[in-house]
Amino acid sequence: MEPDIFNYIDCDETIFEQEPLEAVAKKGELKAFIHSGFWQCMDTQRDKMQLEKMWEDRKAPWKLW
């Protein structure tokens, strides 16, 4: 994201995936890129624990051993 994205966020209650992204998309400035590498979200405690286990087991694809 470019720093200008903050111009689209009014307050802490702004839902980023709604008004800001919709406005950027309407301006034709929303882009997407294909990523063929490893990706895993870490939104929950369970996600964190899974990623930590991968690290401990030395099976973390994001780490070059």
Side-chain angles (χ1 to χ4, degrees):
M1 298 276 170
E2 294 289 329
D4 288 348
I5 193 65
F6 292 106
N7 297 334
Y8 296 91
I9 300 172
D10 295 325
C11 62
D12 288 343
E13 286 77 34
T14 300
I15 299 173
F16 183 71
E17 294 82 2
Q18 290 179 0
E19 295 89 3
L21 286 187
E22 289 172 2
V24 172
K26 284 180 185 173
K27 290 180 72 176
E29 296 180 0
L30 186 62
K31 309 288 186 230
F33 299 92
I34 295 174
H35 174 69
S36 58
F38 175 81
W39 182 88
Q40 170 64 45
C41 64
M42 191 168 74
D43 295 332
T44 66
Q45 182 67 23
R46 180 175 181 255
D47 296 337
K48 179 180 179 281
M49 291 168 58
Q50 287 177 329
L51 290 165
E52 286 176 344
K53 175 111 173 78
M54 291 171 76
W55 184 265
E56 291 166 5
D57 292 345
R58 299 180 65 83
K59 295 181 180 174
W62 65 90
K63 171 69 175 156
L64 300 177
W65 302 104

